[in-house]
Amino acid sequence: QGLVDSVLSHLPSPEEVGRVGLALSGGIDSAVTGWLLRQRGYRVTGVFLRSWDVDDGDSESDEDGGDVPYRGSHATCTARRERLHAEQIASRLGLDDFFEADLRSDYWTRVFQPLVDGYERGETPNPDLTCNRLIKFGVLQERLLSQGFRWMATGHYAQLEKADGFTMLRRARDRQKDQSFFLASVPRERFTRCLFPLGNIYKSDVRAIADSANLRLSQQVTSRGMCFIGKQKSFCDFIANHTSRRPQPGYFVSIDDQAPLQRHGGNMVFLTFGQRARIGGMSGRYYVVGKDMERSVVWVCRGLDHPSLEETQVTVETIYWDPCVSLPPKGLQCLVQTGSCNEGVPCLVHAIPGEGSSRLTVQYTRARRRTAPGQDVAFYTDDNQFCVGAARVEAS
């Protein structure tokens, strides 16, 4: 009870909050979030976000006529089953109401099609930050506000702090589950009326709360990745079904002497930087260091210690930058994180001059593994606490 009281003490009063729209996925995190909001006395409506139609993923039918979902290594899910889970949880929690927000069209045009376009350009895009910025805290939030909801809540592991009229995004207390990276590109004003009750507790605490509240969810798997894609042999097969680019056979070419090493079948869209290149009959291992999509050339190097796999600086295009944080002429000392599972590394960030320019140069204090073009990065204060911005890596 002490743990619950501590969480509730960080939440604003019911009188201040009014109606809350809770993004309810059917998983343990959003379910416990809903339970905590109810304990605080809020009027809560569960909202299931439907971003994909499993039929669009060429799914097949199982024996009882339902959709066969994409089967990942840890989870099995379809929009239909997730919605059913979410609706059952809403009923079990005694929420005021429950409805589905159908955002399939928005997701297709704002997230999925740009994802496919990025792969066709030879990039390695990540749709997660885009989805949060444009869909969850964009279209969905706007829809909730238009329907009279004053606040929005999610089960994200992140913290929000207010200072001098600004809302700042802070890492979660549970660093193993911290999701501030995925929220890095969301304009901070959209967080003004958001609640992240799980940001100050650990995942183990969430499971304990679920057990003590008899929610019967503690053993439920956590949603992972893009499980909307239907029954496919692989994610690559799925994207290939939606791309207009046809395989164009070409060559693996050595970055050292420009010598062709072996022909490839042309499916180079999904080869990403640092990935091992499957080149038969060669001594040693080769890794992808670049792609020329027009010429169907995949540049490769031999060995993981090759200098072409590292960089000392990278150019990025800003997606969002916190207005509270200025970029001095001499640059800003901060940390940059290049993936959800990576640690922030020290860097010096410079704004690239030019009218209307939003490009930045990120200089590392020491050489590190290069980041693939199209990937999103997040910037944090040098104490590794607050996220101050997000950007996308440009092609080198």
Side-chain angles (χ1 to χ4, degrees):
Q1 185 60 43
L3 171 64
V4 172
D5 290 341
S6 175
V7 175
L8 299 183
S9 68
H10 287 85
L11 299 175
S13 68
E15 293 75 22
E16 178 184 352
V17 170
R19 294 176 66 202
V20 179
L22 166 65
L24 196 58
S25 67
I28 184 173
D29 294 331
S30 59
V32 170
T33 297
W35 186 84
L36 290 168
L37 298 178
R38 290 289 293 153
Q39 294 300 302
R40 187 68 175 93
Y42 295 157
R43 292 180 291 141
V44 183
T45 293
V47 184
F48 178 76
L49 191 162
R50 185 169 184 180
S51 59
W52 194 261
D53 190 332
V54 289
D55 292 337
D56 292 338
D58 297 329
S59 62
E60 301 175 2
S61 295
D62 60 18
E63 294 179 357
D64 63 5
D67 297 309
V68 174
Y70 167 74
R71 303 187 191 281
S73 58
H74 293 83
T76 299
C77 57
T78 64
R80 183 179 301 173
R81 291 177 184 174
E82 284 195 340
R83 186 192 189 285
L84 177 60
H85 282 309
E87 193 166 11
Q88 291 171 340
I89 290 168
S91 176
R92 196 176 306 157
L93 295 175
L95 302 189
D96 295 347
D97 200 359
F98 174 87
F99 69 90
E100 175 184 294
D102 187 349
L103 304 182
R104 287 174 291 179
S105 176
D106 294 286
Y107 189 90
W108 180 276
T109 57
R110 302 189 187 198
V111 180
F112 183 72
Q113 193 57 58
L115 173 76
V116 174
D117 294 344
Y119 274 114
E120 291 183 342
R121 290 192 299 269
E123 300 173 351
T124 306
N126 183 334
D128 296 317
L129 276 75
T130 304
C131 180
N132 277 319
R133 181 177 73 258
L134 300 181
I135 304 300
K136 290 181 183 176
F137 296 93
V139 179
L140 177 61
Q141 187 180 63
E142 291 167 3
R143 183 171 298 187
L144 291 176
L145 292 174
S146 69
Q147 294 179 7
F149 292 92
R150 295 182 58 194
W151 290 68
M152 175 178 171
T154 74
H156 281 99
Y157 287 85
Q159 299 184 75
L160 299 174
E161 291 193 10
K162 291 181 171 57
D164 300 324
F166 291 95
T167 301
M168 299 178 295
L169 177 63
R170 185 171 187 169
R171 287 194 186 275
R173 184 178 182 184
D174 188 340
R175 291 299 180 88
Q176 297 298 315
K177 291 294 180 179
D178 174 54
Q179 294 175 311
S180 60
F181 176 84
F182 297 110
L183 301 171
S185 68
V186 179
R188 301 303 183 257
E189 62 268 19
R190 299 186 190 171
F191 290 145
T192 303
R193 291 187 174 273
C194 285
L195 300 168
F196 299 152
L198 308 187
N200 198 39
I201 59 177
Y202 293 89
K203 182 72 174 190
S204 57
D205 296 329
V206 171
R207 295 192 181 99
I209 291 172
D211 285 340
S212 64
N214 196 30
L215 297 182
R216 302 188 298 279
L217 292 165
S218 59
Q219 300 305 314
Q220 187 167 332
V221 295
T222 303
S223 6
R224 298 169 60 89
M226 290 178 285
C227 57
F228 54 75
I229 69 174
K231 186 181 181 182
Q232 300 289 331
K233 292 180 180 178
S234 70
F235 174 72
C236 295
D237 290 338
F238 174 72
I239 295 295
N241 288 338
H242 291 84
T243 179
S244 60
R245 185 181 182 89
R246 302 276 70 87
Q248 301 175 18
Y251 282 92
F252 291 107
V253 178
S254 169
I255 193 70
D256 292 315
D257 57 9
Q258 287 74 55
L261 301 176
Q262 190 176 96
R263 285 183 65 83
H264 63 73
N267 192 16
M268 55 187 289
V269 170
F270 306 105
L271 292 176
T272 188
F273 185 88
Q275 179 180 343
R276 183 181 174 186
R278 302 295 179 180
I279 304 178
M282 304 292 293
S283 61
R285 295 182 175 184
Y286 285 80
Y287 297 88
V288 177
V289 296
K291 297 184 291 186
D292 185 331
M293 302 298 289
E294 296 303 317
R295 296 166 54 203
S296 290
V297 170
V298 179
W299 299 97
V300 296
C301 70
R302 182 178 176 181
L304 277 173
D305 57 350
H306 197 280
S308 63
L309 290 172
E310 296 186 332
E311 62 189 0
T312 56
Q313 73 175 41
V314 63
T315 301
V316 299
E317 180 77 22
T318 304
I319 303 174
Y320 172 80
W321 192 265
D322 195 321
C324 300
V325 180
S326 59
L327 283 171
K330 293 184 177 181
L332 175 70
Q333 294 280 356
C334 61
L335 301 178
V336 61
Q337 183 173 327
T338 57
S340 60
C341 298
N342 297 330
E343 294 292 329
V345 297
C347 67
L348 183 65
V349 179
H350 288 274
I352 297 178
E355 185 177 355
S357 174
S358 57
R359 299 168 71 228
L360 306 172
T361 297
V362 182
Q363 296 178 316
Y364 303 115
T365 56
R366 60 180 182 275
R368 66 184 308 275
R369 183 58 55 91
R370 284 174 58 190
T371 305
Q375 286 284 288
D376 292 334
V377 301
F379 298 96
Y380 291 82
T381 51
D382 54 10
D383 62 359
N384 204 22
Q385 290 293 323
F386 293 94
C387 181
V388 299
R392 184 158 296 153
V393 176
E394 293 186 350
S396 56

